[in-house]
Amino acid sequence: PKGQVVFFDNMESGTNGWLHLALSASQTDNWQQSSERSASGQISWRVSPHAFAGSDALQSPFINLTGIDNALLTFKQYYSFDDCGQADFAPDGGRVEISDGSGDWQVLDPIGGYPGVLDVICDNPLSGQAAYVQNSNGWQTAVFDLTPYANQIVYIRFRSAWDCDNCASDAPGWFIDDVAVLSAGADTDGDGVRDEDDDFPASNIKA
């Protein structure tokens, strides 16, 4: 179907099927709904920094892509991870992953790629891997091509990863809001008009 919004959550209706969990031996899960910042409305999901090495995730409800040949994931995010005030230091960060429900998770790369790589330091579970790191400098829109997962039922998760310590920093962590999955034909560039700028391939979509 043309212009179909397959999934949307602006986080204003409670947890609404979202799950959050620890992914490391520390069993620390800092994901929670927050009114500290939001891209729209009053509420977003936030994960705050760990004081020690670990990883935790925010997992979506199931997203049904059955009958959808082309799809995009978009969401709004604000992040400020601990970097000890150094422009070339990335000890903490986050990335997006996808699963078909089997328990196996694969990395999703945003259109344009992740902005950095986590430093190999101090037991971060995702050391050396591409991620959102340092600071987004305000709210931004992230866009991912889900076309390889067409005609499947999938789950998305936002996975954060932390090294073993924090500098004297008030870095707030990672905020997620306005998560949407759109089929081809939707107003994918968000300008309020359905036109040729919205057409696939996904590499044409404006993040």
Side-chain angles (χ1 to χ4, degrees):
K2 282 290 188 181
Q4 182 178 356
V5 178
V6 180
F7 175 89
F8 178 73
D9 196 339
N10 62 5
M11 312 310 180
E12 300 298 313
S13 300
T15 56
N16 209 20
W18 291 84
L19 304 175
H20 49 98
L21 66 159
L23 297 176
S24 54
S26 70
Q27 293 299 303
T28 299
D29 167 24
N30 283 355
W31 282 99
Q32 60 182 342
Q33 290 202 303
S34 171
S35 59
E36 181 176 332
R37 285 183 174 86
S38 59
S40 67
Q42 303 297 318
I43 302 296
S44 65
W45 280 97
R46 175 200 181 191
V47 62
S48 55
H50 290 211
F52 38 78
S55 182
D56 39 1
L58 173 68
Q59 179 180 315
S60 75
F62 76 86
I63 298 170
N64 190 352
L65 299 180
T66 304
I68 305 296
D69 293 326
N70 298 284
L72 289 176
L73 165 69
T74 76
F75 59 88
K76 303 288 188 180
Q77 64 175 347
Y78 177 106
Y79 58 86
S80 180
F81 293 108
D82 185 24
D83 60 11
C84 296
Q86 301 178 45
D88 59 351
F89 189 45
D92 299 332
R95 72 183 188 190
V96 182
E97 300 177 342
I98 190 169
S99 174
D100 62 4
S102 65
D104 294 326
W105 291 88
Q106 299 177 342
V107 181
L108 269 181
D109 292 318
I111 295 172
Y114 286 105
V117 174
L118 285 161
D119 287 334
V120 179
I121 187 171
C122 206
D123 301 324
N124 186 310
L126 298 182
S127 289
Q129 300 186 42
Y132 294 114
V133 297
Q134 296 192 323
N135 198 308
S136 62
N137 296 309
W139 286 95
Q140 61 178 222
T141 301
V143 183
F144 296 71
D145 185 6
L146 297 185
T147 300
Y149 304 93
N151 293 296
Q152 300 181 47
I153 293 175
V154 299
Y155 299 82
I156 304 295
R157 75 180 183 186
F158 301 92
R159 182 178 181 184
S160 56
W162 316 90
D163 79 340
C164 66
D165 199 3
N166 288 318
C167 296
S169 169
D170 58 356
W174 193 14
F175 296 80
I176 303 294
D177 205 355
D178 295 343
V179 177
V181 175
L182 310 171
S183 70
D187 174 25
T188 49
D189 67 358
D191 65 357
V193 179
R194 172 70 189 103
D195 55 28
E196 64 273 11
D197 290 335
D198 299 305
D199 291 336
F200 281 59
S203 58
N204 292 337
I205 304 302
K206 298 175 178 63

